[in-house]
Amino acid sequence: MSTRIFNFSAGPAVLPESVLEEARDNLLSLGDTGIGVLEHSHRGPAMIEVFEEAERLCRKLAAIPDNYRVLFLQGGASTQFATIPMNFLDRNSTADYLVTGSWSKKAVQEAKMFGTVRIACNGADENFSRIPAERDFSESPAYVHFTSNNTIFGTQFPTEPIPPGDAPLVCDASSDIFSREIDVSKYGLIYAGAQKNLGPSGVTLVVIRDDLVERGAKEIPTMFQYRTHAQADSCYNTPPTFGVYLMKLVFQWILDQGGLAGVREINERKAGKLYSYLDESSLFRPTADPACRSRMNVTFVTGDPELDAQFVAFARDRRLDGLKGHRSVGGMRASIYNAFPEAGVEHLIETMREFEDLHSDAVSRSSKANA
Ligand code: PMP
């Protein structure tokens, strides 16, 4: 097997090695069933047990209250952008959206097809480098939607926004789910594509409060009703069985790290090391406002796109892959989700120091001059 390198990909992203090993061992036979994990019917006892265990571990991990349903769906977070307004918004109602990056903008586009959208805040003017503190909610929105971590711009809500009245809070947590403690009872619905912190692409976790399952519109296609999936325990049609299996392993892995408090501590340390270096560097500059820096996606630039490209190649030669920033913003992005090893962060810092020494001439025209 070829040697693994440090993978800073924003998603699909690095998974815990022990999880991959266990999955590998079960490819040909899940336990002693004689049938590989990819080959089991979702209606058979072995896979039903996998689903039950995945849900049990998920509930344990985030202390999910009994009046919430845990659903394993398909279509990625992007399908949730449409499913949420399809269920909860109509021509006579308004939903409030906090626009803090490209993904929340996409969520808005979908919601507009179903009802009125009010932009409760918009960070576009500052190129989404900050999460605006000001909020302009409508009086009684059908729900308030926000994106807890902005994968592309590297910002993260330090705490969840407080919606007006009893409006349900809806969160796209795709890129920071289960990276820190979460009080689920503050939310109406939380959703996340699995491919960053939870498992492979192809499965979407939805945690939804019972009353919202019931509130969902009825005159919409069956597959887009939360009710359908809640009633059928996520097995209305053929579910993403392998994805749920892997998620189960990842949930157990997170519990083994000390649960959400344990991974939060590790994540704080990893991101802290990286930001400390970036703050003192004379060549590299972090792009996000310090008050809302993401612990999952650390974005930075030199100030010179050519030098950025050189650094990405330099790092790639040193076994650091996936550091190129998103195509819409450029620069660099280090995605350091739960499973990204601390040793990789340290190696990145050493590599940046090495590059900085080699380019000391560039420092005078660097970001610090532009800062
Ligand atoms: N929301 C966020 C915050 C994301 O980072 C992404 C994907 N990078 C999406 C939504 C879209 O997810 P998917 O590809 O699963 O539809």
Side-chain angles (χ1 to χ4, degrees):
M1 199 177 72
S2 62
T3 318
R4 284 168 67 80
I5 62 173
F6 291 119
N7 174 16
F8 288 92
S9 167
V14 62
L15 285 163
E17 253 175 60
S18 59
V19 164
L20 296 175
E21 280 161 2
E22 184 162 349
R24 179 195 59 199
D25 291 348
N26 284 278
L27 275 185
L28 290 174
S29 174
L30 177 61
D32 60 5
T33 61
I35 298 173
V37 61
L38 289 158
E39 305 162 305
H40 269 282
S41 164
H42 58 295
R43 308 275 179 218
M47 195 48 73
I48 290 174
E49 199 181 313
V50 166
F51 272 59
E52 285 174 355
E53 185 65 357
E55 175 169 347
R56 191 185 69 77
L57 294 173
C58 182
R59 287 187 175 279
K60 183 173 176 191
L61 195 53
I64 298 175
D66 289 346
N67 63 326
Y68 285 75
R69 297 302 307 265
V70 174
L71 307 177
F72 303 109
L73 306 182
Q74 298 183 70
S78 302
T79 299
Q80 294 302 310
F81 293 167
T83 311
I84 289 160
M86 210 186 282
N87 276 269
F88 308 123
L89 195 58
D90 60 35
R91 294 282 155 219
N92 303 316
S93 59
T94 300
D96 290 7
Y97 277 70
L98 282 73
V99 176
T100 53
S102 313
W103 296 111
S104 40
K105 264 167 59 183
K106 287 197 170 161
V108 166
Q109 269 169 17
E110 299 299 302
K112 280 183 173 165
M113 293 183 208
F114 300 94
T116 305
V117 169
R118 177 167 182 140
I119 306 298
C121 73
N122 192 344
D125 287 352
E126 297 167 294
N127 199 28
F128 298 118
S129 59
R130 184 177 79 83
I131 290 179
E134 320 72 47
R135 309 278 151 80
D136 181 22
F137 292 123
S138 49
E139 218 164 88
S140 121
Y143 58 87
V144 170
H145 179 283
F146 79 110
T147 312
S148 49
N149 182 74
N150 299 295
T151 326
I152 294 176
F153 296 94
T155 59
Q156 186 173 24
F157 278 77
T159 54
E160 56 276 276
I162 301 168
D166 58 0
L169 187 59
V170 173
C171 177
D172 173 2
S174 291
S175 50
D176 67 353
I177 184 131
F178 298 167
S179 65
R180 58 182 174 182
E181 296 94 325
I182 182 167
D183 181 353
V184 173
S185 69
K186 290 184 176 165
Y187 296 79
L189 189 156
I190 304 164
Y191 65 99
Q195 64 270 20
K196 300 165 199 303
N197 260 331
L198 302 182
S201 56
V203 52
T204 312
L205 178 69
V206 172
V207 178
I208 177 173
R209 215 172 53 210
D210 283 341
D211 60 299
L212 289 178
V213 173
E214 290 316 314
R215 198 184 302 176
K218 295 191 172 61
E219 300 302 314
I220 55 176
T222 314
M223 277 295 284
F224 295 98
Q225 296 181 25
Y226 290 109
R227 188 179 303 106
T228 302
H229 302 289
Q231 281 168 359
D233 291 328
S234 304
C235 285
Y236 171 75
N237 71 327
T238 316
T241 51
F242 184 67
V244 174
Y245 165 73
L246 225 80
M247 254 192 190
K248 177 193 85 136
L249 300 184
V250 171
F251 292 152
Q252 183 61 59
W253 178 83
I254 299 175
L255 285 165
D256 294 343
Q257 309 303 300
L260 299 189
V263 288
R264 190 247 311 137
E265 214 171 284
I266 301 168
N267 289 329
E268 271 175 2
R269 202 167 62 226
K270 289 189 304 192
K273 282 182 182 175
L274 203 41
Y275 284 119
S276 298
Y277 165 73
L278 288 167
D279 281 338
E280 72 178 33
S281 167
S282 45
L283 182 61
F284 297 101
R285 175 174 61 90
T287 57
D289 183 291
C292 40
R293 286 172 170 173
S294 169
R295 292 183 192 138
M296 298 282 99
N297 309 97
V298 178
T299 48
F300 55 101
V301 294
T302 64
D304 174 355
E306 231 170 75
L307 208 54
D308 289 348
Q310 277 180 36
F311 174 70
V312 170
F314 183 83
R316 182 69 189 75
D317 286 345
R318 283 154 185 76
R319 301 171 55 242
L320 300 167
D321 192 62
L323 283 166
K324 192 167 183 295
H326 189 271
R327 59 189 182 281
S328 62
V329 293
M332 276 74 67
R333 170 177 55 175
S335 297
I336 50 171
Y337 302 119
N338 286 349
F340 189 89
E342 193 160 350
V345 169
E346 281 156 10
H347 187 36
L348 171 61
I349 294 169
E350 280 160 30
T351 303
M352 287 196 285
R353 279 196 212 288
E354 194 189 339
F355 188 80
E356 193 170 337
D357 287 346
L358 287 170
H359 293 82
S360 46
D361 60 317
V363 166
S364 56
R365 54 187 166 77
S366 80
S367 49
K368 285 282 136 109
N370 301 335

